Amino acid sequence: MKWGFFPVGSATMEVVAQNSELPDGPKVVRFQVRTNSFADTFYKVRTSISSTIDPSFSKSLKYQKSQHEGSTRREILVEYDYEKGEAIYLQEGNSPIITPIPGPVFDPLSIAYFFRLHPLKPG
């Protein structure tokens, strides 16, 4: 990551098997953003997001976000319960929020990764 000509940090995205003993099991997409020591003096960023996706990449199973940006601190967990047809949103310090889901859904990170797998075409 750069601010004009100045390097200010790094961002990485990776996909790993949730369990190395079950390579055909759920996959975890991880995205991490981190500022370097120069940028830390102005605005420190240490944000990590992970998305657990079923093996066929057809739905999200869990979404976690640890956001540390400047004075902002958020710890978020979303678990998807397809048997009950609901997503449970947990944010540290708040009551759980339960939202109905219509079926297989994707979280923001899994959507971003999914678009990388398929070329977009006009129309």
Side-chain angles (χ1 to χ4, degrees), residues 42-102:
F42 303 101
Y43 192 79
K44 187 174 183 177
V45 175
R46 300 288 187 278
T47 295
S48 178
I49 304 169
S50 68
S51 175
T52 304
I53 307 167
D54 80 320
S56 63
F57 280 92
S58 63
K59 61 186 175 186
S60 293
L61 303 174
K62 181 168 55 171
Y63 175 81
Q64 291 178 276
K65 181 177 184 180
S66 177
Q67 182 181 14
H68 297 185
E69 299 177 6
S71 62
T72 300
R73 301 279 186 269
R74 285 193 187 105
E75 300 297 327
I76 295 170
L77 171 65
V78 181
E79 293 183 320
Y80 301 91
D81 187 334
Y82 291 100
E83 288 183 17
K84 291 183 179 178
E86 60 189 29
I88 301 124
Y89 177 96
L90 302 163
Q91 184 174 343
E92 189 176 302
N94 295 323
S95 298
I97 299 171
I98 299 173
T99 303
I101 54 175

